[in-house]
Amino acid sequence: MNCPNCNTENRPSAKFCDQCASPVSDSTSTETNGPEKRGPLDGIKVLDWTMWQFGPVSTMMLGDLGADVIKVESLDGDHGRQFRRVAGASSQLPGGLNAYFESLNRQKRSIALDLKNPKGVEILHRLVAQSDVFVQNFRQGVAERLGMGYEDLIKHNPKLIYGAATGYGPIGPDSDQPAFALTGEARSGSLFWGGPDDGKPYNLGGIADQMAGVMLSYGILGALVARERRGVGQKVDVSHLGSLMWLGGNRYGIALISKNVPRRQDRTAVLNPLWNFYRCEDDRWIAFSMNQSDRYWPPFCKAIGHRELIDDPRFNGMERRAENRVELVRLLDGIFESKPRDAWEGMFAGNGDIIWTRVQDVFDLPDDPQVIANNYIVDYDHPVLGPSKWIQTPVGYSSTPVAAVKAAPAHGANTEEILIESLGCSWEDISKLQEEGVIL
């Protein structure tokens, strides 16, 4: 491809001219699906100095909303690129890709810098000067030692929004302790939410990272609005501990206000059997969510074809159903195991008097008509993996739609592009930085 500026012939895959560094192709042409879509954060620039999940998911969400996210990686890359297994499942993909990393880093560009080298720090400071948001999720003190703390960066950009992701919060006796999802879930009391009421903690599967990432992106959006209205930047602190306490919501509110802790929901002995799930004849499950049990008990009994239960003295009142809950759940188990789930769904279809749905596996979701209609999972033609399914950030905008259009970047794939476009570096500058080990 010839350069439109100096007419030098370049490699077919070249993004910038080897002679004059002018753009010679669309830098996103191999990464986008269809026409460009502008999200609500179009024009916002984000520097993402994060790894693993907590930080990356927050910046990916900002990227889904249209922000230009530059992922700043060390010369050996985000450790998430080397994550081999997640809860026993392999995360390795064809082409040397990693499902863990790919699922958390779409919509980003990658620059690889040695931030222990003063020249690497200088490059990042120059990028900070022209960015709106900077996000980091390193252990307390790491950013400050490398000149990347909040007070360091606002010298280069006073209106910067600085997102800091921590395990236990920015102050307090344990603020400098290392943390991952499980420790955040443990510290917040979350491991006692589910499972049988046997006094043992139960693993939640790492939801702390996802919830804290959502909370961090929420906090950053609030700071961007405040800067728009008041002209000030600020630091945004979010932790695993605080996010999981918030996710506990009404459960924690009841406990703290009334001193009464809501019981764990063992399905064989739930206080309200209409807030439960039951296995059908074909080993598939169906769930009911009716908290006003006296209101819903008669229509529920009619819907399952057992009107005689309505006035059964063991079950004809909320308190009696609670007292005899083990017997009732066992009875309902026998009823639901008499028919396959499709048969039950046919009996319940169009019945607005009961609240029910199927219990699904993750692999059921791509075929769920509700998921399809609302674009909660989208089709994406990945440049390496080919046609694949992506979970979309589940926020709908009528005028500035969310769109997953860019795969997670290869390690340092956009280093030269970013240095040329954003900082005006020449190819001579880039060669020198490579020789000095500042960039890949």
Side-chain angles (χ1 to χ4, degrees):
M1 180 177 293
N2 287 351
C3 173
N5 184 46
C6 67
N7 205 36
T8 298
E9 185 175 352
N10 290 274
R11 294 165 290 124
S13 61
K15 297 176 182 177
F16 297 91
C17 177
D18 292 330
Q19 180 66 32
C20 69
S22 297
V24 294
S25 68
D26 179 359
S27 63
T28 62
S29 61
T30 62
E31 300 169 320
T32 57
N33 279 214
E36 180 184 1
K37 297 182 180 180
R38 295 179 178 271
L41 293 186
D42 179 53
I44 296 295
K45 294 183 179 181
V46 178
L47 286 177
D48 167 14
W49 185 41
T50 70
M51 61 171 60
W52 299 114
Q53 184 171 346
F54 180 174
V57 73
S58 69
T59 52
M60 182 182 72
M61 291 178 69
L62 299 177
D64 277 352
L65 297 187
D68 176 17
V69 181
I70 296 176
K71 185 173 181 67
V72 181
E73 301 189 64
S74 63
L75 299 190
D76 58 355
D78 181 336
H79 296 333
R81 292 184 182 274
Q82 290 84 44
F83 217 46
R84 298 304 179 197
R85 304 188 73 82
V86 179
S90 173
S91 61
Q92 298 181 64
L93 296 172
L97 300 181
N98 183 288
Y100 178 89
F101 182 85
E102 291 289 315
S103 68
L104 297 170
N105 289 283
R106 67 166 178 258
Q107 312 285 54
K108 303 177 184 180
R109 297 187 287 163
S110 172
I111 183 171
L113 293 173
D114 180 3
L115 293 180
K116 294 181 181 179
N117 186 312
K119 290 189 177 181
V121 174
E122 179 189 354
I123 288 172
L124 194 54
H125 285 171
R126 291 173 65 191
L127 290 172
V128 164
Q130 52 186 249
S131 297
D132 299 284
V133 178
F134 178 88
V135 184
Q136 60 92 359
N137 67 339
F138 288 85
R139 184 176 175 179
Q140 188 100 315
V142 172
E144 289 75 14
R145 286 197 301 271
L146 294 175
M148 299 297 164
Y150 175 61
E151 297 298 333
D152 299 307
L153 297 192
I154 59 172
K155 295 174 184 176
H156 303 276
N157 184 347
K159 294 186 178 182
L160 183 71
I161 306 301
Y162 185 105
T166 63
Y168 307 120
I171 58 177
D174 295 327
S175 60
D176 62 346
Q177 294 300 302
F180 279 94
L182 182 58
T183 51
E185 291 156 9
R187 188 67 173 265
S188 66
S190 308
L191 298 183
F192 291 102
W193 288 352
D197 196 8
D198 57 4
K200 299 177 183 177
Y202 279 80
N203 199 322
L204 298 179
I207 65 170
D209 278 333
Q210 198 74 8
M211 179 58 199
V214 172
M215 188 65 74
L216 182 55
S217 64
Y218 167 85
I220 289 169
L221 291 176
L224 286 169
V225 172
R227 191 185 66 177
E228 180 72 19
R229 293 184 173 182
R230 304 177 186 176
V232 296
Q234 59 186 306
K235 186 181 181 185
V236 179
D237 282 296
V238 171
S239 70
H240 282 135
L241 175 59
S243 298
L244 264 292
M245 290 174 63
W246 182 257
L247 183 61
N250 192 42
R251 176 185 180 86
Y252 284 21
I254 291 173
L256 294 174
I257 295 170
S258 70
K259 310 301 182 184
N260 296 312
V261 181
R263 296 185 183 182
R264 297 165 78 166
Q265 296 291 298
D266 179 352
R267 69 160 301 278
T268 63
V270 292
L271 288 172
N272 176 12
L274 298 189
W275 190 282
N276 206 9
F277 40 94
Y278 298 91
R279 178 161 39 202
C280 303
E281 185 183 38
D282 53 0
D283 281 336
R284 295 190 291 177
W285 295 75
I286 196 164
F288 298 90
S289 182
M290 295 173 280
N291 199 36
Q292 298 168 284
S293 64
D294 281 344
R295 169 187 172 185
Y296 287 106
W297 179 245
F300 172 78
C301 294
K302 294 175 185 176
I304 65 174
H306 286 269
R307 292 172 179 260
E308 75 280 3
L309 294 177
I310 296 175
D311 296 316
D312 189 308
R314 296 169 297 172
F315 313 129
N316 65 346
M318 182 174 64
E319 294 300 328
R320 284 180 287 279
R321 286 190 293 275
E323 291 170 5
N324 299 294
R325 59 188 181 277
V326 174
E327 182 181 2
L328 179 53
V329 169
R330 188 179 299 122
L331 188 154
L332 293 176
D333 278 343
I335 291 173
F336 283 103
E337 287 173 356
S338 69
K339 293 182 177 68
R341 189 173 68 186
D342 286 348
W344 289 114
E345 291 186 356
M347 294 171 63
F348 299 152
N351 188 338
D353 292 329
I354 60 172
I355 303 171
W356 66 277
T357 193
R358 65 187 67 177
V359 178
Q360 299 197 129
D361 184 87
V362 63
F363 295 113
D364 296 321
L365 298 177
D367 298 318
D368 186 318
Q370 280 301 116
V371 172
I372 295 169
N374 290 282
N375 290 320
Y376 295 149
I377 292 179
V378 294
D379 292 311
Y380 178 75
D381 189 8
H382 192 283
V384 176
L385 304 175
S388 51
K389 300 286 186 181
W390 292 44
I391 295 179
Q392 181 71 286
T393 295
V395 180
Y397 291 94
S398 60
S399 299
T400 56
V402 172
V405 297
K406 191 186 301 180
H411 180 207
N414 310 101
T415 300
E416 297 171 356
E417 168 191 329
I418 293 166
L419 293 175
I420 291 169
E421 280 189 348
S422 300
L423 303 184
C425 291
S426 66
W427 284 107
E428 182 180 353
D429 296 330
I430 290 171
S431 296
K432 188 173 182 181
L433 289 169
Q434 289 172 334
E435 291 172 2
E436 295 174 343
V438 180
I439 63 174
L440 288 181

